[in-house]
Amino acid sequence: MEKAEVAKKIYELVEKSTGKKKLKSSDIQKTVSAEAGVTRDEVKDALRDLVDEGKLIYTYFGGSFVEIPPKQ
Amino acid sequence: MPKKYQTPLLDELEKGPFPSFVTEIKKAAEKSDMAADELGQLEKSYRDRRGYGKHGGIVGVRGYGSGVIGRYSSLPEEFPNVANFHTVRINSTSAFFYTSKFLNEMCDIWDKYGSGLTNMHGSTGDLVLLGTNTENLETIFAEFSSRGWDLGGSGSALRTPSCCVGPARCEWANIDTLAINYAITQEWQDEMHRPAFPYKFKFKTAGCAVDCIASIARADCSIIGTWKGNIAVDQKEVANYEKGGMNIQEEIVNMCPSKCMSYNGKELSIKDADCVRCMHCIAKMTKALKATGEKGATILIGAKAPFVIGATLSWVIVPFIKMEPPYDEFKDLIRKMWEFWDEFGKNRERIGELIIRKGMREFLEYLGLDPVPQHVKEPRRDPFFFWSEADLAK
Ligand code: HEM
Ligand code: HEM
Ligand code: SF4
Ligand code: SF4
């Protein structure tokens, strides 16, 4: 699977759980690698790009989570 | 001119023989509005007996999930200059060696973009910069990274590893703590900057059991230098210690935890097979005693200050491992431990808590390690070894 597709799946997963459950990086790795049939390293790699581009950010609420940045 | 607050309670903390953080904040408050308001808010906290800081949230630098800790005042109207008071962690050097050139530059950057207050070093081991605004974070990061520095760890990530001064200054070091610390830092950059663990994870490396970095009490993984050979005894120097007024029977022999030493008034002898390498005798009689033979480390897991069950010291997992570059055996072991933690750990559960919950037996089986006597932390309290049918068949 192309990296862009993995990134899309990650973003959709985060979007879907926004407001319901905060996801940790490992939740995303486990879910997306299982659903898309790619390795966890591939998920990590795509997640890293999303964060570098600012499409997703890390937050800290008693633990580190991955979320969509708030609209300014 | 920054605002001046009356601080009768904080002033108490300037009395006595020790250095005072209040004195230091006052110095910074002469030119920094931020430090001045910090002093005012802190005085109010002492008066009202409650904290007025909040922490967490969404601040950070682009691409990283750690290194910046969001801190906010819950009284922003009263103390506007500390409405934001974020902490920045800079990855410290191994054993905290810096050049004065860097220290000067660091202070200049921090006077310009922050409160001027630092904490060298925090209990995390980082070079901690205390108090700045959200707008300044990217600039501060750029100033440091352009000089070759990087942020440290925070959140559910690998924390900035730290080590004792080791062979740089100390003859007792059994391992090159500085090289190990550097290798760990470089190997696991991603684990430090992009939080993906259930919770924090700390490495601390000490060259010997004196453990100047307090790794056994503070690290999820303590790496403590040890040796395999005998303790060499120089009887002439033993006699000198006696002449110098040392009561060898009382201070050395009777204090040996494994009772493996004896002294007949002339010769000190050690039954090395029973020695647990605690360093007590060597630290007391440096000139007379010396560790010899093969050197390596003991790997311990699981210390944390207040666990669900109270404070916990780390627990021996590997009694002896060679610690030489490229440290492959060690790295593989750690990866396997993280796998176990990733698989079974709950959010905010430290690896030591997980081992207590799941049992040491399962942890050792996962790592593929056979139980050894050194795993027993307290005699008669660790019934984690049971014969399986396969064992009985042998
Ligand atoms: C003057 C009376 C007693 C003395 C001086 C005494 C002394 C001791 C000592 C020194 C130990 C060994 C502790 C260790 O291993 O660290 C022990 C263990 C034990 N004692 Fe006693 N004891 C006394 C009475 C009793 C009584 C009345 C009972 C039971 C009704 C009892 C039950 C046990 C048991 C179950 C153990 C533990 C065995 C183990 O360590 O696994 N003791 N006792
Ligand atoms: C014929 C009678 C008994 C024999 C031969 C016997 C033998 C033993 C032995 C060999 C141990 C292990 C000691 C060690 O680990 O060093 C032990 C432990 C113990 N026994 Fe007994 N015992 C007997 C009766 C009892 C009774 C009647 C009680 C209580 C009412 C009792 C309570 C205990 C306890 C609490 C321990 C400690 C268990 C532990 O530390 O995990 N025993 N016993
Ligand atoms: S822990 Fe041991 S090797 Fe390290 S500085 Fe202390 S005494 Fe020296
Ligand atoms: S190192 Fe500790 S256990 Fe070993 S002989 Fe010295 S005092 Fe005893």
Side-chain angles (χ1 to χ4, degrees):
Chain A
M1 188 181 281
E2 292 291 314
K3 196 150 113 181
E5 282 177 68
V6 180
K8 192 157 161 274
K9 288 221 180 302
I10 295 172
Y11 191 86
E12 282 167 6
L13 177 68
V14 176
E15 203 170 29
K16 210 170 67 198
S17 33
T18 298
K20 294 189 195 108
K21 179 180 186 291
K22 287 187 192 300
L23 297 178
K24 299 179 71 70
S25 170
S26 58
D27 300 330
I28 295 171
Q29 289 174 35
K30 282 176 190 169
T31 309
V32 174
S33 64
E35 280 178 6
V38 293
T39 66
R40 287 184 59 154
D41 281 342
E42 286 174 82
V43 183
K44 258 162 96 171
D45 198 28
L47 175 60
R48 184 182 169 144
D49 284 359
L50 286 166
V51 173
D52 283 347
E53 290 159 14
K55 291 191 180 130
L56 294 177
I57 54 165
Y58 287 101
T59 61
Y60 184 85
F61 295 94
S64 301
F65 299 97
V66 177
E67 299 187 63
I68 295 171
K71 299 262 176 316
Q72 296 299 342
Chain B
M1 263 302 270
K3 189 164 169 188
K4 219 167 147 40
Y5 291 90
Q6 292 304 311
T7 56
L9 292 174
L10 290 179
D11 295 349
E12 291 293 315
L13 299 174
E14 292 190 280
K15 296 175 184 166
F18 302 107
S20 167
F21 74 99
V22 173
T23 307
E24 299 306 316
I25 302 179
K26 281 186 179 171
K27 273 194 235 164
E30 283 166 20
K31 39 183 193 160
S32 157
D33 292 321
M34 223 173 202
D37 272 11
E38 173 61 14
L39 210 55
Q41 178 172 307
L42 196 60
E43 176 71 17
K44 189 176 165 67
S45 281
Y46 274 78
R47 202 164 54 236
D48 301 350
R49 295 164 189 248
R50 54 157 296 189
Y52 289 110
K54 293 186 292 190
H55 112 150
I58 57 171
V59 295
V61 300
R62 170 74 68 99
Y64 278 19
S66 61
V68 177
I69 298 103
R71 308 229 187 251
Y72 306 85
S73 171
S74 47
L75 303 168
E77 272 97 52
E78 197 173 344
F79 304 103
N81 296 308
V82 291
N84 290 285
F85 198 76
H86 308 320
T87 296
V88 179
R89 289 185 180 156
I90 303 293
N91 193 134
S92 46
T93 52
S94 288
F96 311 143
F97 286 97
Y98 298 97
T99 61
S100 50
K101 175 171 173 284
F102 166 71
L103 293 177
N104 274 309
E105 286 174 357
M106 182 270 288
C107 290
D108 288 345
I109 298 169
W110 199 237
D111 278 337
K112 191 164 166 194
Y113 297 107
S115 71
L117 296 170
T118 67
N119 176 5
M120 291 183 73
H121 291 78
S123 50
T124 55
D126 294 274
L127 192 176
V128 182
L129 305 173
L130 297 161
T132 189
N133 289 316
T134 309
E135 308 82 76
N136 288 339
L137 290 171
E138 292 290 350
T139 315
I140 291 163
F141 181 48
E143 290 277 9
F144 280 98
S145 56
S146 65
R147 289 173 170 82
W149 298 81
D150 204 344
L151 299 186
S154 68
S156 310
L158 176 62
R159 300 307 184 80
T160 307
S162 63
C163 66
C164 79
V165 72
R169 290 181 68 86
C170 179
E171 65 188 272
W172 296 334
N174 294 300
I175 47 176
D176 188 342
T177 54
L178 303 98
I180 293 166
N181 195 62
Y182 185 72
I184 290 172
T185 308
Q186 295 299 339
E187 178 76 19
W188 287 307
Q189 281 287 301
D190 206 47
E191 283 72 7
M192 184 143 70
H193 298 307
R194 296 172 189 84
F197 290 155
Y199 204 23
K200 61 183 98 169
F201 192 95
K202 301 176 185 173
F203 284 110
K204 294 196 192 294
T205 308
C208 76
V210 173
D211 196 6
C212 296
I213 195 85
S215 70
I216 196 163
R218 305 196 298 161
D220 297 274
C221 177
S222 326
I223 302 158
I224 302 181
T226 188
W227 66 94
K228 268 197 166 166
N230 294 344
I231 295 178
V233 186
D234 182 338
Q235 302 292 353
K236 253 202 337 260
E237 291 293 348
V238 173
N240 278 338
Y241 276 105
E242 172 130 72
K243 250 186 258 150
M246 180 182 273
N247 184 336
I248 291 172
Q249 185 65 39
E250 281 292 315
E251 292 174 46
I252 308 298
V253 175
N254 292 357
M255 303 272 280
C256 167
S258 60
K259 305 273 174 263
C260 65
M261 307 180 95
S262 57
Y263 184 57
N264 60 11
K266 270 214 191 88
E267 288 223 324
L268 181 70
S269 38
I270 303 176
K271 208 169 143 202
D272 286 281
D274 289 342
C275 167
V276 293
R277 295 165 179 83
C278 76
M279 283 299 288
H280 170 73
C281 59
I282 297 176
K284 288 281 181 190
M285 306 177 92
T286 302
K287 288 185 179 167
L289 304 178
K290 194 177 172 196
T292 67
E294 208 182 339
K295 306 287 170 78
T298 300
I299 308 296
L300 304 93
I301 293 290
K304 180 181 185 277
F307 257 172
V308 177
I309 57 160
T312 307
L313 299 181
S314 52
W315 192 335
V316 173
I317 299 299
V318 180
F320 189 90
I321 186 171
K322 288 301 273 183
M323 285 300 275
E324 277 157 14
Y327 314 103
D328 284 338
E329 194 189 342
F330 169 77
K331 288 176 186 167
D332 289 345
L333 178 76
I334 296 298
R335 288 201 185 91
K336 199 91 186 130
M337 290 180 186
W338 285 346
E339 228 178 79
F340 178 78
W341 190 31
D342 180 75
E343 180 78 20
F344 302 110
K346 297 192 278 203
N347 189 26
R348 285 172 70 78
E349 184 173 48
R350 297 279 281 268
I351 194 164
E353 290 170 305
L354 171 63
I355 294 169
I356 290 167
R357 178 164 66 83
K358 294 285 281 182
M360 180 56 83
R361 180 190 167 158
E362 249 183 77
F363 183 61
L364 292 176
E365 269 176 11
Y366 194 92
L367 299 180
L369 295 177
D370 287 331
V372 292
Q374 287 93 331
H375 289 150
V376 177
K377 194 175 187 181
E378 294 157 341
R380 300 174 178 181
R381 282 285 308 277
D382 301 316
F384 54 78
F385 188 75
F386 295 96
W387 300 103
S388 67
E389 291 201 7
D391 291 323
L392 292 175
K394 286 185 218 162

XYZ file of all heavy atoms in Angstrom, chain B residues 92-125:
265
model
N 20.296 16.788 27.786
C 21.572 17.077 28.434
C 22.684 16.225 27.822
O 22.426 15.253 27.129
C 21.446 16.758 29.918
O 20.822 15.502 30.076
N 23.924 16.591 28.131
C 25.068 15.789 27.681
C 25.266 14.632 28.656
O 24.811 14.698 29.796
C 26.347 16.627 27.693
O 26.460 17.224 28.983
C 26.302 17.711 26.639
N 25.983 13.599 28.234
C 26.316 12.502 29.137
C 27.113 13.056 30.314
O 28.117 13.737 30.119
C 27.167 11.447 28.414
O 26.388 10.728 27.490
N 26.644 12.768 31.529
C 27.306 13.196 32.758
C 27.469 14.714 32.870
O 28.270 15.212 33.651
C 28.650 12.499 32.951
N 26.680 15.447 32.075
C 26.557 16.894 32.247
C 27.850 17.683 32.036
O 28.151 18.621 32.784
C 25.983 17.219 33.644
C 24.749 16.433 34.000
C 24.527 15.982 35.295
C 23.792 16.145 33.037
C 23.392 15.250 35.625
C 22.646 15.418 33.352
C 22.446 14.969 34.653
N 28.615 17.299 31.038
C 29.796 18.110 30.688
C 29.406 19.135 29.622
O 28.916 18.768 28.556
C 30.912 17.225 30.114
C 31.609 16.386 31.144
C 31.251 15.061 31.351
C 32.636 16.923 31.905
C 31.898 14.275 32.304
C 33.289 16.144 32.859
C 32.930 14.825 33.058
N 29.618 20.414 29.902
C 29.332 21.465 28.930
C 30.553 22.352 28.768
O 31.404 22.409 29.659
C 28.166 22.359 29.413
C 26.870 21.615 29.581
C 26.482 21.146 30.837
C 26.025 21.387 28.501
C 25.293 20.449 31.000
C 24.838 20.699 28.662
C 24.472 20.231 29.908
O 23.297 19.549 30.063
N 30.593 23.083 27.670
C 31.610 24.126 27.544
C 31.004 25.420 28.088
O 29.783 25.616 28.040
C 31.993 24.358 26.069
O 30.826 24.774 25.344
C 32.558 23.082 25.446
N 31.859 26.321 28.588
C 31.347 27.596 29.088
C 30.756 28.406 27.929
O 29.827 29.184 28.117
C 32.440 28.380 29.808
O 33.579 28.446 29.002
N 31.279 28.178 26.717
C 30.720 28.874 25.539
C 29.241 28.513 25.372
O 28.398 29.398 25.205
C 31.512 28.463 24.290
C 30.957 29.012 22.982
C 31.938 28.737 21.834
C 31.352 29.107 20.484
N 30.360 28.133 19.982
N 28.945 27.229 25.450
C 27.540 26.826 25.306
C 26.688 27.401 26.435
O 25.584 27.894 26.210
C 27.393 25.297 25.268
C 25.957 24.873 25.462
C 25.021 25.084 24.458
C 25.519 24.342 26.671
C 23.686 24.742 24.644
C 24.176 24.006 26.861
C 23.264 24.208 25.847
N 27.203 27.341 27.668
C 26.397 27.833 28.795
C 26.056 29.310 28.625
O 24.933 29.738 28.917
C 27.129 27.588 30.117
C 27.289 26.112 30.500
C 28.091 25.979 31.784
C 25.933 25.429 30.659
N 27.029 30.076 28.125
C 26.780 31.499 27.882
C 25.706 31.696 26.821
O 24.780 32.499 26.989
C 28.069 32.202 27.431
C 28.878 32.654 28.634
O 28.352 33.307 29.538
N 30.135 32.283 28.660
N 25.828 30.934 25.733
C 24.843 31.062 24.649
C 23.457 30.662 25.135
O 22.467 31.321 24.848
C 25.240 30.154 23.476
C 26.409 30.670 22.674
C 26.858 29.658 21.614
O 26.288 28.542 21.548
O 27.778 29.994 20.862
N 23.424 29.565 25.896
C 22.152 29.062 26.395
C 21.470 30.135 27.263
O 20.277 30.402 27.112
C 22.431 27.784 27.195
C 21.232 27.076 27.769
S 20.818 27.637 29.405
C 22.149 26.936 30.372
N 22.249 30.756 28.142
C 21.674 31.792 29.021
C 21.193 32.996 28.212
O 20.142 33.567 28.514
C 22.697 32.235 30.070
S 23.024 30.967 31.290
N 21.960 33.371 27.187
C 21.539 34.511 26.351
C 20.213 34.215 25.656
O 19.313 35.050 25.637
C 22.611 34.839 25.308
C 23.840 35.480 25.950
O 23.721 35.914 27.126
O 24.902 35.531 25.303
N 20.113 33.012 25.085
C 18.864 32.638 24.403
C 17.706 32.690 25.400
O 16.635 33.214 25.121
C 18.957 31.208 23.797
C 20.053 31.133 22.739
C 17.608 30.770 23.202
C 20.379 29.711 22.293
N 17.972 32.175 26.585
C 16.886 32.063 27.561
C 16.497 33.410 28.162
O 15.330 33.651 28.493
C 17.245 31.018 28.622
C 16.029 30.553 29.342
C 15.815 30.593 30.683
C 14.837 30.011 28.765
N 14.570 30.110 30.975
C 13.947 29.753 29.818
C 14.435 29.737 27.457
C 12.674 29.219 29.593
C 13.178 29.214 27.234
C 12.305 28.961 28.298
N 17.471 34.317 28.303
C 17.120 35.668 28.766
C 16.257 36.370 27.721
O 15.343 37.126 28.043
C 18.386 36.504 29.019
C 18.991 36.201 30.382
O 18.250 35.720 31.266
O 20.202 36.437 30.566
N 16.564 36.071 26.442
C 15.842 36.740 25.364
C 14.419 36.197 25.195
O 13.479 36.961 25.028
C 16.634 36.549 24.062
C 16.163 37.406 22.916
C 17.233 37.441 21.829
C 16.679 37.991 20.535
N 17.592 37.724 19.406
N 14.267 34.861 25.252
C 12.963 34.265 24.908
C 12.215 33.644 26.086
O 11.112 33.148 25.918
C 13.148 33.195 23.823
C 13.684 33.743 22.531
C 14.998 33.485 22.149
C 12.889 34.535 21.696
C 15.507 33.988 20.962
C 13.394 35.043 20.517
C 14.710 34.770 20.149
O 15.199 35.268 18.986
N 12.838 33.633 27.257
C 12.173 32.987 28.387
C 12.330 33.791 29.663
O 12.714 34.961 29.629
N 12.061 33.158 30.785
C 12.079 33.849 32.069
C 13.501 34.073 32.582
O 13.714 34.824 33.525
C 11.340 33.003 33.105
O 12.130 31.855 33.407
N 14.482 33.388 31.999
C 15.842 33.444 32.524
C 16.093 32.388 33.589
O 17.228 32.190 34.013
N 15.045 31.703 34.006
C 15.204 30.685 35.050
C 15.510 29.320 34.427
O 14.860 28.921 33.458
C 13.924 30.560 35.879
C 13.517 31.794 36.676
C 12.114 31.597 37.246
C 14.511 32.055 37.796
N 16.496 28.639 34.986
C 16.829 27.294 34.499
C 16.851 26.333 35.686
O 16.882 26.769 36.842
C 18.216 27.245 33.837
O 19.204 27.489 34.847
C 18.350 28.275 32.740
N 16.880 25.071 35.371
C 17.013 24.050 36.404
C 18.023 23.044 35.867
O 17.716 22.256 34.982
C 15.636 23.409 36.636
C 15.674 22.256 37.619
O 16.711 21.966 38.212
N 14.544 21.597 37.786
N 19.246 23.157 36.365
C 20.315 22.273 35.873
C 20.803 21.405 37.013
O 21.523 21.870 37.862
C 21.467 23.077 35.294
C 21.047 23.759 34.001
S 22.374 24.658 33.233
C 23.400 23.351 32.599
N 20.418 20.182 36.986
C 19.495 19.562 36.015
C 18.255 19.118 36.760
O 18.310 18.851 37.944
C 20.152 18.377 35.330
C 21.244 18.778 34.407
N 22.483 19.125 34.833
C 21.265 18.924 33.066
C 23.228 19.449 33.800
N 22.529 19.336 32.704
N 17.157 18.987 36.050
C 15.951 18.483 36.683
C 16.147 17.038 37.077
O 17.103 16.390 36.655
N 15.243 16.511 37.868
C 15.389 15.112 38.272
C 15.237 14.189 37.061
O 15.633 13.040 37.090
C 14.385 14.744 39.360
O 13.104 15.153 38.977
N 14.694 14.712 35.961
C 14.648 13.934 34.724
C 16.038 13.764 34.134
O 16.261 12.889 33.314
C 13.825 14.673 33.656
O 14.390 15.982 33.511
C 12.380 14.793 34.041
N 16.976 14.662 34.506
C 18.292 14.652 33.882
C 18.418 15.691 32.785
O 19.510 15.971 32.311
